[in-house]
Amino acid sequence: MSGQAAFAAALLAADGQCPPGLRTWNGSAPEARFAVYRNNVIVGLVDALADSFPVTQALVGEDFFRTMAREFVRRSPPRSPVLAYYGEEFPGHIAGFAPAAGLPYLADVARLEYLRVLAWHAADADVITPARLATVAADADALAASHVAMHPSVFVLRSTHAVVSLWAAHQTDSVAKSLADIDPATTENALLCRDGLEVAIYRIDADTAALLEQLLAGSALGPAMDAVAQAALNFDPTAALALLLRASAISDIHPSRRDGQ
């Protein structure tokens, strides 16, 4: 192991040992100085997680969250200097964190918050104009064979828990009152999309979520709708597309797929 690798490993080691060969300029104890630096690194990474997962922290309290986050930091240090994206594996860590077992919805709330981070930092793109939509929709057969280009900030999350409601409750001035009306065991699905400088989170039904998944996977509009309709009893494709348009989730609709263009 190189000196740099040993230094990095010692920063996150649970035993707190100082890496060998460390020296200080004034002859003071390197162990004390390294301990301070080590603590600052861990605190900084935990703070980064707290910034990305504020609702997750609010649901369990700061002390619980920071304990859970410190364990994650030691197991999963950043692989990139861009801390805005740090925490991709944090929801999985929460799912396996024994003290959080009594909160089965917590991992999915964290997944929602991480997708919100990705949506916030996604590339800019145009949104389909009414004129463009009218042109494409004028030919029903061509429309069915078209591919929908989703905005880069669009993400969909399926959950067996009330993740959208739990997140939304923490955006109100009366969090406790809002939470009292929520059954966490309610199945909810989320659509995330950035409109301007704001990331909007919509609660969507399972059919709309399935349609989104088909479109994001590259399916043409007609086959995507047919696949959802075959598995659903009350699928309303017009309402689903109307929601996507209201959410500014569609960038364009192409007569044929344009991979790499």
Side-chain angles (χ1 to χ4, degrees):
M1 181 181 293
S2 68
Q4 289 183 340
F7 185 88
L11 280 175
L12 301 178
D15 59 17
Q17 293 294 316
C18 181
L22 205 60
R23 300 287 186 272
T24 59
W25 68 273
N26 61 358
S28 61
E31 294 81 6
R33 289 177 173 268
F34 180 77
V36 172
Y37 181 69
R38 180 173 178 270
N39 183 66
N40 288 340
V41 169
I42 293 176
V43 168
L45 294 177
V46 170
D47 287 345
L49 292 173
D51 287 343
S52 296
F53 300 93
V55 174
T56 304
Q57 176 172 269
L59 285 167
V60 296
E62 183 177 356
D63 290 343
F64 187 100
F65 179 89
R66 296 188 76 84
T67 298
M68 182 168 61
R70 286 176 74 91
E71 182 176 307
F72 172 76
V73 165
R74 289 196 171 98
R75 293 183 177 182
S76 304
R79 293 189 293 269
S80 164
V82 183
L83 287 185
Y85 295 112
Y86 182 48
E88 180 180 4
E89 300 163 342
F90 190 48
H93 172 75
I94 294 173
F97 189 64
L103 304 174
Y105 52 83
L106 193 63
D108 275 359
V109 171
R111 290 186 177 97
L112 181 68
E113 292 201 277
Y114 189 74
L115 290 180
R116 186 173 181 272
V117 170
L118 296 182
W120 171 258
H121 291 284
D124 292 328
D126 293 331
V127 176
I128 193 168
T129 64
R132 169 64 175 164
L133 178 61
T135 299
V136 177
D139 186 335
D141 291 336
L143 179 63
S146 297
H147 286 82
V148 178
M150 307 303 297
H151 193 279
S153 67
V154 169
F155 294 93
V156 60
L157 174 68
R158 290 178 180 262
S159 177
T160 56
H161 307 288
V163 289
V164 179
S165 296
L166 290 169
W167 181 85
H170 286 82
Q171 315 313 310
T172 67
D173 294 329
S174 53
V175 176
K177 181 179 179 181
S178 299
L179 288 175
D181 298 328
I182 299 172
D183 177 6
T186 302
T187 295
E188 291 186 354
N189 307 287
L191 159 64
L192 299 91
C193 183
R194 191 185 69 242
D195 186 4
L197 297 178
E198 297 293 331
V199 176
I201 299 179
Y202 302 87
R203 183 171 56 196
I204 58 176
D205 59 43
D207 296 337
T208 302
L211 177 63
L212 263 170
E213 290 170 341
Q214 291 276 339
L215 296 177
L216 288 169
S219 177
L221 184 58
M225 289 184 171
D226 290 342
V228 176
Q230 290 176 5
L233 295 176
N234 300 304
F235 175 49
D236 185 345
T238 301
L241 285 176
L243 171 61
L244 297 182
L245 291 170
R246 288 198 307 273
S248 300
I250 298 177
S251 288
D252 201 356
I253 301 178
H254 303 298
S256 60
R257 191 169 185 177
R258 298 180 179 180
D259 289 333
Q261 299 184 17

